[in-house]
Amino acid sequence: SLGSHPSAYLRENTTNFGITVNDTAVLWASDNNTVLGLEAATELWTSNLTGGQHVCIGRGAGRDVTTAEKNTFVGYYAGALSNGTGSNVGVGHSALYRITTGGENVAIGRNTMGALLAAYSNVFVGNSAGYGSSTGITNNNVGIGTSSLYSIDNGDNNTAIGCKAGYNVSAGYYNVVLG
C-alpha cells in the first residue's frame, strides 16, 4: 500500500493493494477486483461487497458497482451507475453508463448503450450504438455502426448494421436493418 492513508481502503481478510493521492484511491486491487482511476468503483470501498471480479479503469468507471460480478468497464464513467448487473463489458466514454438491471452485454464506443437501464445479452459497437432510453427492457440485439439502433427501448432480437441503421427502431422485434 502506498499513499497518505492507504489503510482506509483495505478490507480485512482479503488480498489488498492500494495507491492513494490526496486521500483518494486511484489504484487498488481487492476481492479479485482491479481498479484504476479517480472515482472508479468507489462504492466497492464503502459497501458490503457481495460481488467481485470486476475490472474498472478510467475516471468514474464502475463507480456504483457493489453487488454484481464479473464486469469490465474501461473509459471515462463507463458503467458508472451500474449496480446489480453482471458479466458486462463496457469500453468507451460513458459506455453502459446507466445499466442497473440485466447482464451479459457488450458495449464498445462512446455512449454505447449509455441510457439503457435494463438490458440482457446485447452487442453494440459504435459511437452511441444502442443508446436507448431509460424506460424499457432490451434483449438479444446486435447493433454495429455509429448510432445503430439508437432509439431502442423495448425491442428484442433486432440486428442493425451500418451508420444509423435502425436509428428509429424503439419497440421492434426480429428486425434486420442494413445500410
Side-chain angles (χ1 to χ4, degrees):
S1 301
L2 302 172
S4 56
H5 297 294
S7 61
Y9 299 102
L10 303 182
R11 301 173 74 86
E12 292 182 19
N13 302 315
T14 63
T15 301
N16 297 286
F17 171 81
I19 295 177
T20 62
V21 173
N22 297 327
D23 295 331
T24 301
V26 292
L27 169 64
W28 60 270
S30 177
D31 299 323
N32 297 313
N33 297 298
T34 302
V35 179
L36 172 62
L38 290 174
E39 300 177 20
T42 54
E43 288 297 312
L44 289 177
W45 290 120
T46 59
S47 302
N48 274 335
L49 176 64
T50 58
Q53 301 174 3
H54 302 290
V55 175
C56 300
I57 300 173
R59 183 174 190 140
R63 185 188 69 198
D64 292 348
V65 169
T66 56
T67 59
E69 294 184 340
K70 301 176 181 86
N71 287 304
T72 300
F73 298 123
V74 179
Y76 187 86
Y77 286 94
L81 302 182
S82 176
N83 187 6
T85 174
S87 300
N88 292 297
V89 175
V91 178
H93 185 295
S94 299
L96 285 169
Y97 179 79
R98 296 182 64 177
I99 189 112
T100 58
T101 304
E104 300 176 357
N105 296 291
V106 176
I108 300 173
R110 182 178 176 273
N111 291 326
T112 302
M113 293 183 71
L116 286 170
L117 288 176
Y120 298 86
S121 301
N122 295 284
V123 176
F124 287 100
V125 178
N127 183 40
S128 297
Y131 184 77
S133 75
S134 60
T135 59
I137 299 173
T138 302
N139 304 313
N140 306 312
N141 295 292
V142 176
I144 300 174
T146 298
S147 299
S148 58
L149 290 173
Y150 179 88
S151 302
I152 199 74
D153 185 25
N154 271 324
D156 295 341
N157 304 297
N158 296 293
T159 301
I161 300 174
C163 182
K164 296 187 179 180
Y167 185 91
N168 292 318
V169 173
S170 63
Y173 299 90
Y174 300 98
N175 291 296
V176 176
V177 182
L178 302 173

